[in-house]
């Protein structure tokens, strides 16, 4: 495909097939297709071929043995997709998608990689050194021999071991499109350059341009002259050179735009040391199975997602999530594939392999997002689809208008050729996908996964952000905070007996009490005759005492009752401890607020968002957490379905709501919100329901995600304003005769390069 019109044509033809829904992305050179069982990939490819292009199904995912040389990569993203889900298209039988070398009249051409089929990877030849053109001492007096030499230079330019017609890719693609009853940018370029070339031939051999003594000067203006003595060989060759240079720069920029996704795909380890009968056997990562145990030494990448079964270390996840501080892990902790073991030796049991790993799912989410289309891009595609026929009519009208008004054939011809060449819909087709390529790729590097381009529009409109408490604002893990003992009772004894009983409990509060007691006191005594009273507490015999923990006492001493009340005011869960029938103390546990949550809330406020805390916890606890992080509005004591109702109530008030959560009970609310953000440390259900996934468990990334999404959307809109504005401004100038065709060709090539370069600025997002 050589322009957005090509992509629009392929997409239109595919969507005409019964039951088929397709989107064709010009920047990534892929089509993402949903089709019924009766349609197979061969039928889809046949339709593309009938349209005048070629396509192929992507190869199945394969681990790459080593990083490829970026200079050898093709213009696509280079990432494998789902078989039958995407393909790349290029003009049938042509190489117009790949620039060649061309030059004329002392204008050096651009050397680049040879054309290849879709999805192929070929190495680039070394650029041929071109001698600089010699400056003539005075305006040259051209005779027939000089003009013919100029003609020869304009027709062909040395390229490698053979001679290659510089404009042939454009003409071949234009002819292919004509046979299929279509017109694209190649049609405009082919018509313009052939018209200039044909006029020059007539003037050279049948007019006065080849007469001895004729003087030919190069001017960048439209001026009256004798049509029989005017030649435009520099226009025919110069325009081709500029356009090929533009395509080369565009292709190079698109490769850079997709670099982040390629880097993400290459993060994983290539092989792994698996334990077989107590021995280490090194095998390729793709042969790893769930349940296999493998060794990870210091400095090595973890091969796949798993659980640590032996050893302790620190894990560096900077390459995968952007988190700069290594995280300590030990037995029982989960680890993610592609992260780096920065400490001691680990033995990990694989829990997810292949396409199920977090790395593979991240890459899939990013690729899906890059293949989608925002609503603004669909508008641009519709305009591109009718743009070329409209330009042809404008060019014909320009020629007729000038000829009728002035009778000057040369001026009419020059203006019409400029109209044909200046009008290029490429920038329209590149405006959205290149910004998406860079924005989503940069997001992946920072641990932000954007599901699709439609998400960007939501981030612009959001004015309220609803934050789930547990696991989002807080750590989601209960920890022991305080111990209060009744008068005459030792605090250590209260904690020691409570911890001994709770060691046998599976309740999160009980585990927090037991863990806190062991951390503060060391070894705990054994408990006997353990009994659980559901919803009330636990009992057991410890060191000859009948110990009860929880709400198992009918009456409380005054000092114990005051301690319970104070703990609840502080937003903590109060657990009463007693033995031999008397309540003798209180242990207070709480879900700890994350250190970064207060800063995250402040950043969300700076983005113009109104934070709301949403939780199923009691109101006192919720309000205490809200105060500590700077949130004024609290919705507490709601069931999971109540969270959905809360989001809907806020939307009914006219607010545009973003929801941030991590649990299964948040999935429905995430789906109900205008924008759902799931913490990547949460459940698969929450991640699946969300529009944005924050790979790290840091709430500050939510603010980064919204800023990045807004910046990407702003870049898309800036690109579209440039692309539309360029054509709106340039066409009247060309029609008015104020643009030389060669300048028009350079400006048209620059428009696409500008759009891609503008998108590449997103790579610097911090």
């Amino acid at each position: 495909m050589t322009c957005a019109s090509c992509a629009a044509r392929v997409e239109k033809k595919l969507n005409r097939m019964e039951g088929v829904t397709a989107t064709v992305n010009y920047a990534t050179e892929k089509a993402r297709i949903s089709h019924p069982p009766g349609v197979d990939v061969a039928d889809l490819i046949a339709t593309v071929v009938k349209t005048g292009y070629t396509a192929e199904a992507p190869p199945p995912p394969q681990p790459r043995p080593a990083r490829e040389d970026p200079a050898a990569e093709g213009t696509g993203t280079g990432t494998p997709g789902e078989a039958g889900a995407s393909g790349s298209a290029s003009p049938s039988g042509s190489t117009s998608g790949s620039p060649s070398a061309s030059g004329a009249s002392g204008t050096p051409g651009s050397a680049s990689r040879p054309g290849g089929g879709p999805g192929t990877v070929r190495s680039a030849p070394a650029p041929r050194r071109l001698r600089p053109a010699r400056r003539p001492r005075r305006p040259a007096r051209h005779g027939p021999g000089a003009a013919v030499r100029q003609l020869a230079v304009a027709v062909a330019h040395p390229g490698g071991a053979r001679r290659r017609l510089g404009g042939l890719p454009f003409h071949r693609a234009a002819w292919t499109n004509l046979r299929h009853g279509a017109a694209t940018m190649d049609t405009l370029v082919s018509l313009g350059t052939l018209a200039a070339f044909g006029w020059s031939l007539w003037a050279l051999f049948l007019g006065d341009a080849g007469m001895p003594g004729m003087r030919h000067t190069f001017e960048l203006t439209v001026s009256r002259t004798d049509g029989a003595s005017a030649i435009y060989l520099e226009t025919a060759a110069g325009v081709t050179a500029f356009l090929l240079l533009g395509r080369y720069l565009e292709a190079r920029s698109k490769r850079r735009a997709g670099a982040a996704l390629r880097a993400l795909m290459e993060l994983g380890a290539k092989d792994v040391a698996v334990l077989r009968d107590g021995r280490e056997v090194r095998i390729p990562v793709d042969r790893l199975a769930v349940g296999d145990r493998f060794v990870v030494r210091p400095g090595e990448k973890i091969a796949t997602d798993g659980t640590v079964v032996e050893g302790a270390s620190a894990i560096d996840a900077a390459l995968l999530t952007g988190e700069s501080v290594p995280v300590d892990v030990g037995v029982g902790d989960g680890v993610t594939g592609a992260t780096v073991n920065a400490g001691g030796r680990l033995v990990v049991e694989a829990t997810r392999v292949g396409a199920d790993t977090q790395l593979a799912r991240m890459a899939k989410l990013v690729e899906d997002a890059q293949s989608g289309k925002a609503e603004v891009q669909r508008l641009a595609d519709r305009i591109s689809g009718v743009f070329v026929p409209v330009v042809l009519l404008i060019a014909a009208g320009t020629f007729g208008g000038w000829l009728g008004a002035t009778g000057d054939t040369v001026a009419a011809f020059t203006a019409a050729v400029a109209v044909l060449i200046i009008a290029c819909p490429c920038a329209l087709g590149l405006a959205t996908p290149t910004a998406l390529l860079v924005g989503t790729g940069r997001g992946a590097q920072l641990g932000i996964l954007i599901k699709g381009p439609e998400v960007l529009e939501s981030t612009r409109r959001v004015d309220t952000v609803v934050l789930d408490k547990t696991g989002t604002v807080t750590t989601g893990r209960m920890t022991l905070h305080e111990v209060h003992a009744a008068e005459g009772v030792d605090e250590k004894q209260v904690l020691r007996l409570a911890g001994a009983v709770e060691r046998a409990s599976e309740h999160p509060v009980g585990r927090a009490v037991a863990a806190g007691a062991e951390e503060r006191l060391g070894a705990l005594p054994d408990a006997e005759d353990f009994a659980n009273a559901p919803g009330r507490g636990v009992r057991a015999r410890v060191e000859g005492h009948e110990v009860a923990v929880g709400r198992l006492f009918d009456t409380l001493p005054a000092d114990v009752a005051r301690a319970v009340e104070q703990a609840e005011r502080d937003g903590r869960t109060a657990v009463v401890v007693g033995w031999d029938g008397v309540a003798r103390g209180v242990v207070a546990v709480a879900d700890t607020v994350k250190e970064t949550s207060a800063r995250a809330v402040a950043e969300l406020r700076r983005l113009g968002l109104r934070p709301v805390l949403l939780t199923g916890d009691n109101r006192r606890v919720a309000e205490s957490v809200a105060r500590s992080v700077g949130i004024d509005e609290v919705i507490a004591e709601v069931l999971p379905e109540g969270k959905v109702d809360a989001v809907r109530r806020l939307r009914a008030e006219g607010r545009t709501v973003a929801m941030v959560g991590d649990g299964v009970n948040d999935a429905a609310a995430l789906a109900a919100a205008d924008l759902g953000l799931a913490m990547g440390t949460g459940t698969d259900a929450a991640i699946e329901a969300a529009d944005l996934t924050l790979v790290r468990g840091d709430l500050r990334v939510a603010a980064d995600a919204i800023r990045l999404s807004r910046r990407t959307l702003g870049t898309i809109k800036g690109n579209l304003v440039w692309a539309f504005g360029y054509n709106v401004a340039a066409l009247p100038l060309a029609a008015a005769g104020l643009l030389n065709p060669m300048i028009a060709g350079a400006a048209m090539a620059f428009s696409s390069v500008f759009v891609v370069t503008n998108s590449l600025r997103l790579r610097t997002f911090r």
Side-chain angles (χ1 to χ4, degrees):
M1 299 182 292
T2 58
C3 68
S5 296
C6 301
R9 285 189 57 231
V10 175
E11 183 175 296
K12 185 177 180 181
K13 292 288 186 182
L14 287 169
N15 282 320
R16 284 181 177 175
M17 298 176 68
E18 187 174 354
V20 170
T21 302
T23 58
V24 177
N25 191 311
Y26 172 53
T28 60
E29 301 176 350
K30 291 184 178 182
R32 181 163 294 280
I33 301 169
S34 299
H35 58 86
V39 177
D40 59 24
V41 178
D43 298 327
L44 300 170
I45 292 176
T47 298
V48 175
V49 171
K50 288 177 185 176
T51 311
Y53 301 83
T54 61
E56 63 183 17
Q62 293 180 351
R64 293 189 223 183
R67 184 178 178 85
E68 295 174 358
D69 181 2
E73 294 173 1
T75 58
T77 60
T79 55
E82 293 179 11
S86 63
S88 55
S90 61
S92 177
S94 82
T95 57
S96 61
S98 306
S100 60
S102 175
S105 306
T107 305
S110 59
S112 72
R113 58 183 176 79
T120 59
V121 178
R122 302 195 179 183
S123 57
R128 183 184 178 89
R129 290 188 176 273
L130 302 177
R131 292 181 180 177
R134 293 180 179 176
R135 179 183 297 176
R137 295 178 183 175
R138 58 183 181 274
R141 189 178 292 274
H142 300 284
V148 170
R149 284 195 296 273
Q150 186 182 13
L151 172 65
V153 173
V155 169
H157 184 280
R162 60 188 178 89
R163 300 174 71 83
R164 183 175 183 177
L165 297 179
L168 184 59
F170 297 103
H171 307 314
R172 185 182 290 159
W175 171 246
T176 300
N177 289 319
L178 180 63
R179 286 192 292 111
H180 289 85
T184 65
M185 186 206 77
D186 295 297
T187 307
L188 302 180
V189 174
S190 180
L191 278 175
T193 54
L194 285 177
F197 188 75
W199 179 283
S200 300
L201 286 181
W202 177 83
L204 187 61
F205 293 110
L206 301 179
D208 300 330
M211 297 293 291
M214 288 298 299
R215 196 182 296 274
H216 303 296
T217 58
F218 174 71
E219 295 182 359
L220 298 180
T221 60
V222 176
S223 58
R224 290 177 177 272
T225 183
D226 179 12
S229 64
I231 61 175
Y232 290 90
L233 292 171
E234 80 283 352
T235 295
V239 165
T240 303
F242 279 129
L243 296 186
L244 292 175
L245 175 61
R247 285 192 177 179
Y248 167 72
L249 295 175
E250 176 190 314
R252 181 180 172 190
S253 297
K254 285 198 293 183
R255 286 198 298 275
R256 290 175 64 196
L261 180 57
R262 287 194 298 276
L264 187 65
M265 294 292 290
E266 294 170 357
L267 277 181
K270 302 296 181 287
D271 53 27
V272 58
V274 181
L275 291 175
R276 299 275 195 254
D277 299 325
R279 295 187 303 108
E280 293 183 22
V281 179
R282 192 157 285 276
I283 62 171
V285 163
D286 59 337
R287 289 173 53 192
L288 201 60
V290 173
D292 281 347
R293 294 191 173 191
F294 58 92
V295 176
V296 188
R297 288 184 171 79
E300 289 184 342
K301 287 183 179 178
I302 296 175
T304 193
D305 298 357
T307 303
V308 177
V309 294
E310 183 182 318
S313 181
I315 300 299
D316 182 357
L319 292 175
L320 190 65
T321 68
E323 175 59 68
S324 58
V325 180
V327 178
D328 292 330
V329 296
V331 175
D333 290 332
V335 291
T336 305
T339 55
V340 178
N341 179 10
R345 178 182 181 274
L346 295 176
V347 177
V348 179
E349 183 175 308
T351 56
R352 288 177 175 172
V353 297
D356 294 329
T357 63
Q358 182 168 319
L359 175 64
R361 291 161 67 201
M362 284 176 62
K364 181 70 167 55
L365 281 172
V366 173
E367 189 172 17
D368 286 349
Q370 293 178 350
S371 300
K373 290 187 179 180
E375 196 57 40
V376 287
Q377 179 62 30
R378 298 188 186 280
L379 172 63
D381 287 348
R382 287 195 293 271
I383 293 173
S384 299
V386 299
F387 191 75
V388 173
V390 169
V391 169
L392 292 174
L393 291 175
I394 293 174
T398 298
F399 183 82
W402 272 84
L403 197 61
T406 66
D408 189 338
T409 308
V410 173
F413 167 77
T414 305
V417 170
V419 167
L420 288 174
I421 292 173
I422 196 69
C424 170
C426 285
L428 290 177
L430 290 168
T432 296
T434 52
L436 273 177
L437 272 173
V438 184
T440 53
R442 181 59 183 150
Q445 291 175 332
L446 298 174
I448 302 164
L449 304 182
I450 303 171
K451 261 195 179 175
E454 62 281 350
V455 171
L456 304 179
E457 291 284 354
S458 300
T459 62
R460 178 179 60 86
R461 297 191 301 267
V462 163
D463 54 32
T464 301
V465 56
V466 176
L467 306 174
D468 171 58
K469 182 182 76 70
T470 306
T472 302
V473 176
T474 64
T475 61
R477 295 186 301 274
M478 302 295 282
T479 56
L480 177 66
H481 280 260
E482 295 146 356
V483 180
H484 299 278
E487 188 176 349
V489 179
D490 183 18
E491 285 186 0
K492 289 185 178 180
Q493 186 179 14
V494 171
L495 181 57
R496 187 165 179 268
L497 295 178
V501 174
E502 293 286 18
R503 270 203 310 176
S505 173
E506 293 296 324
H507 194 279
V509 171
R511 289 202 298 268
V513 171
E518 286 183 328
E519 183 179 341
R520 296 186 186 188
L521 304 176
L524 299 175
D526 294 329
E528 301 173 348
D529 301 328
F530 176 85
N532 180 24
R536 299 186 63 205
V538 292
R539 297 175 186 273
R541 177 180 292 275
V542 181
E543 296 181 335
H545 297 289
E546 291 290 340
V547 182
V549 182
R551 293 180 294 176
L552 296 171
F553 300 91
D554 297 328
T555 59
L556 298 177
D559 52 352
V560 173
R562 284 195 301 270
V564 169
E565 188 176 343
Q566 182 61 47
E568 290 179 348
R569 272 202 304 268
D570 293 340
R572 294 179 178 139
T573 300
V575 180
V576 179
V577 183
W579 53 91
D580 301 331
V582 179
R584 302 175 190 268
V586 175
V587 291
V589 298
D591 183 2
T592 307
V593 174
K594 293 178 181 176
E595 293 180 359
T596 57
S597 291
R599 291 199 297 273
V601 170
E603 289 179 19
L604 292 169
R605 284 189 183 278
R606 280 196 291 271
L607 291 172
L609 303 178
R610 178 178 174 183
V612 177
L613 187 67
L614 179 64
T615 180
D617 261 356
N618 71 71
R619 178 160 293 277
R620 279 188 174 181
V621 171
E623 289 177 346
S624 173
V625 171
R627 281 194 303 273
S628 69
V629 297
I631 297 177
D632 302 322
E633 190 173 350
V634 176
I635 302 174
E637 300 176 354
V638 292
L639 297 173
E641 55 269 24
K643 292 187 177 183
V644 178
D645 294 336
V647 169
R648 288 175 178 163
R649 277 199 308 275
L650 291 171
R651 295 184 66 194
E653 293 173 6
R655 303 196 209 178
T656 303
V657 179
M659 167 75 185
V660 186
D662 74 325
V664 173
N665 60 345
D666 298 323
L670 289 167
D674 296 285
L675 179 69
L677 296 91
M679 307 298 278
T681 52
T683 63
D684 290 347
I687 293 171
E688 202 62 37
D691 302 305
L692 288 163
T693 299
L694 315 176
V695 178
R696 303 207 307 265
D698 189 340
L699 188 57
R700 288 177 301 176
V701 184
D704 291 338
I706 292 174
R707 283 196 303 113
L708 174 61
S709 298
R710 288 180 175 178
R711 180 83 61 84
T712 304
L713 180 64
T715 301
I716 289 173
K717 292 191 172 181
N719 286 347
L720 288 172
V721 166
W722 165 262
F724 278 115
Y726 163 81
N727 283 294
V728 168
L731 276 174
L733 288 175
L738 300 177
L739 282 179
N740 179 277
M742 192 151 69
I743 297 301
M748 186 264 275
F750 171 74
S751 69
S752 296
V753 175
F754 173 86
V755 163
V756 179
T757 304
N758 187 45
S759 298
L760 286 173
R761 293 190 306 120
L762 287 168
R763 297 172 71 186
T764 63
F765 176 85
R766 295 288 182 270

